[in-house]
């Protein structure tokens, strides 16, 4: 018997029993089960369409109201819901999204216009990803205008909009320490591109417009970059600084040199001063630094330099030696420095050597006397202990 015949018999039984469920069930239980199952399927189908209609209505309302969002995070959350629901809710949602696509984009860009560049990079990447998903999820509806719009925008938002935002940022800053976290975010983003130099090269050119030799803020900026986070910018800027210190003709601000002396980069300053060939600028640094700090190595860097300037090296070294006569390590440090012999003269140099030798002999003699006295004290102690033991044994 076919399904239709069984169904016809079942409904004939229902009519004959005057809808008495007891009689119906006793005579045709399987038919009851089938009918109940059919009813459940119908209810499920109805529920599905009702729910889908409700969800579609919600999504349509979300599309129409999304541009009223008060902040970017709220907007982003709503757009994520649209992206997720688009392939499930039918062509009407896709059509509505197509009509409002420009308004949605413009509203989103307004919400992020006051972000710092680090947050802009993050936000533009989020938008680009979502737009790429919208393009993918809308293809099933064959609305070419919608799909192409979001495919194009997912790329142009990064290639055009974000690139202009980044350029605007680095062209309007002075490259100070508090800019480092933003520069690092730019470097990190650039390194994700197929051509990082499209961003890094003009960024480096902009940095190079500032003076590495006289701009202390820029110098601090470079010194606080790290290879790990700043990559190529770190390498290029440090090479630039190294080159100006190695060039014996470059003027480097005394403010920068002072900063380095106070921040554990003394040797680089010593080497720069001892090799500086510009007599006018060396004279200026002489008046600023020589004998002004308690740093004999800094003073000796000037002495080492053969460039002729108006100076009084000999008197300063004579005073240092005279007032620190018993500090052998300091005196030897001075005497062993380059060009000290020529500066103080052979006679004075020999006299200092003789006095050092005499002092070393005195120190050696005093050490030996102290050693003898210590041995004597120990012998006396041992003798007293032996005497005490001898007395206790009587």
């Amino acid at each position: 018997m076919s399904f239709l015949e069984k169904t016809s018999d079942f409904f004939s039984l229902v009519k004959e029993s005057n809808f008495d469920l007891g009689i119906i069930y006793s005579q045709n239980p399987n038919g009851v089960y089938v009918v109940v199952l059919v009813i459940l399927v119908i209810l499920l189908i109805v529920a599905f369409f009702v729910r889908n209609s409700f969800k579609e209505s919600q999504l349509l309302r979300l599309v129409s109201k999304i541009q009223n969002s008060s902040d970017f995070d709220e907007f982003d959350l709503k757009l994520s819901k649209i992206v997720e629901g688009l392939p499930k809710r039918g062509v009407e949602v896709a059509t509505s999204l197509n009509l409002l696509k420009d308004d949605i984009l413009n509203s989103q860009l307004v919400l992020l216009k006051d972000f710092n560049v680090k947050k802009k990079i993050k936000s533009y990447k989020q938008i680009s990803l979502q737009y790429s998903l919208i393009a993918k999820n809308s293809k099933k509806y064959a609305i070419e205008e919608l799909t192409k719009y979001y495919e194009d925008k997912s790329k142009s938002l990064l290639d055009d909009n974000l690139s202009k935002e980044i350029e605007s940022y680095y062209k309007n800053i002075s490259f100070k320490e508090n800019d480092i976290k933003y520069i690092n975010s730019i470097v990190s983003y650039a390194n994700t591109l197929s051509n990082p130099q499209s961003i890094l090269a003009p960024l480096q050119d902009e940095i190079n417009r500032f003076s590495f030799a006289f701009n202390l803020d820029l110098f601090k900026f470079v010194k606080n970059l790290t290879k790990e986070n700043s990559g190529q910018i770190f390498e290029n800027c440090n090479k630039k600084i190294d080159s100006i210190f190695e060039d014996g003709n470059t003027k480097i601000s005394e403010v920068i040199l002072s900063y380095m002396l106070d921040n554990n980069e003394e040797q680089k300053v010593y080497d720069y001063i001892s090799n500086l060939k510009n007599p006018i600028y060396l004279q200026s640094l002489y008046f600023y630094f020589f004998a002004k700090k308690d740093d004999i190595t800094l003073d000796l860097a000037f002495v080492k330099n053969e460039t002729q300037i108006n100076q009084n090296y000999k008197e300063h070294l004579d005073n240092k030696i005279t007032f620190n006569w018993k500090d052998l390590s300091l005196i030897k440090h001075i005497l062993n420095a380059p060009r000290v012999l020529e500066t103080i003269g052979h006679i004075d140099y020999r006299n200092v050597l003789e006095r050092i030798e005499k002092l070393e002999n005195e120190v050696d003699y005093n050490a030996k006397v102290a050693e003898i006295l210590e041995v004597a004290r120990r012998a006396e102690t041992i003798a007293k202990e032996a005497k005490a033991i001898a007395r206790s044994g009587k």
Side-chain angles (χ1 to χ4, degrees), residues 304-358:
K304 181 180 178 181
N305 194 314
E306 297 182 4
T307 304
Q308 296 299 310
I309 62 172
N310 181 21
Q311 45 79 13
N312 196 7
Y313 296 152
K314 176 175 170 51
E315 181 180 349
H316 178 63
L317 295 180
D318 286 344
N319 288 336
K320 275 290 182 182
I321 292 170
T322 300
F323 292 117
N324 297 278
W325 179 241
K326 291 198 174 182
D327 188 344
L328 282 176
S329 62
L330 175 62
I331 303 303
K332 288 182 178 180
H333 178 60
I334 294 173
L335 291 183
N336 291 330
R339 299 191 72 249
V340 169
L341 172 60
E342 299 95 312
T343 301
I344 66 175
H346 287 268
I347 295 175
D348 287 346
Y349 191 87
R350 186 171 63 251
N351 289 339
V352 174
L353 287 178
E354 290 173 355
R355 291 166 68 184
I356 288 177
E357 183 179 0
K358 182 180 178 181

Side-chain angles (χ1 to χ4, degrees), residues 69-273:
S69 302
S70 59
D71 62 61
F72 183 83
D73 289 337
E74 178 188 349
F75 197 111
D76 186 66
L77 180 61
K78 290 179 179 178
L79 190 61
S80 296
K81 291 179 179 178
I82 293 172
V83 171
E84 182 182 357
L86 181 61
K88 309 173 188 176
R89 304 303 169 209
V91 68
E92 189 175 350
V93 172
T95 302
S96 177
L97 183 61
N98 185 43
L99 293 173
L100 296 171
K101 57 185 182 298
D102 287 319
D103 292 339
I104 291 173
L105 173 61
N106 292 333
S107 299
Q108 203 166 18
L109 295 182
V110 167
L111 292 175
L112 60 76
K113 68 182 179 64
D114 294 326
F115 287 179
N116 62 54
V117 71
K118 183 177 181 180
K119 196 169 182 181
K120 280 183 178 179
I121 290 172
K122 178 183 177 182
S123 301
Y124 271 103
K125 287 171 69 178
Q126 286 178 222
I127 299 172
S128 175
L129 177 60
Q130 288 180 329
Y131 279 21
S132 178
L133 290 173
I134 289 176
K136 178 183 177 182
N137 292 344
S138 65
K139 286 182 178 179
K140 63 182 292 186
Y141 301 117
I143 305 177
E144 184 178 352
E145 180 185 352
L146 175 66
T147 301
K148 189 173 187 312
Y149 178 88
Y150 280 103
E151 282 179 346
D152 292 344
K153 289 299 179 183
S154 69
K155 297 175 183 176
S156 65
L157 282 171
L158 300 180
D159 296 343
D160 299 331
N161 297 62
L162 180 55
S163 292
K164 288 178 182 177
E165 294 281 7
I166 291 173
E167 181 182 18
S168 175
Y169 170 75
Y170 65 65
K171 283 194 171 183
N172 290 282
I173 62 170
S174 300
F175 297 100
K176 299 181 179 180
E177 287 180 85
N178 57 4
D179 296 316
I180 290 176
K181 58 182 176 292
Y182 303 119
I183 294 298
N184 286 344
S185 67
I186 292 173
V187 172
S188 177
Y189 170 67
N191 287 333
T192 66
L193 304 179
S194 59
N195 179 22
Q197 293 307 309
S198 63
I199 289 178
L200 296 182
L203 169 58
Q204 187 66 58
D205 290 342
E206 192 67 25
I207 296 174
N208 291 344
R209 290 179 58 248
F210 293 81
S211 171
F212 286 80
F214 277 82
N215 190 321
L216 180 59
D217 285 330
L218 178 64
F219 187 86
K220 291 179 179 179
F221 167 85
V222 173
K223 287 301 174 181
N224 283 281
L225 296 175
T226 63
K227 182 174 179 57
E228 179 184 5
N229 295 317
S230 311
Q232 182 180 317
I233 300 299
F234 165 86
E235 293 179 357
N236 291 342
C237 288
N238 276 279
K239 283 180 182 178
K240 188 84 172 177
I241 287 180
D242 289 342
S243 69
I244 65 173
F245 273 89
E246 292 166 2
D247 180 359
N249 294 299
T250 302
K251 297 178 182 180
I252 300 176
S253 167
E254 63 272 8
V255 177
I256 289 178
L257 297 177
S258 294
Y259 175 81
M260 294 177 71
L261 289 170
D262 294 336
N263 287 275
N264 303 314
E265 290 194 85
E266 300 93 334
Q267 189 58 52
K268 206 162 188 175
V269 178
Y270 302 154
D271 293 341
Y272 169 72
I273 289 174

Side-chain angles (χ1 to χ4, degrees), residues 21-34:
L21 294 178
I23 296 173
I24 296 170
Y25 183 77
S26 63
Q27 293 187 24
N28 192 351
N30 291 334
V32 173
Y33 294 144
V34 170

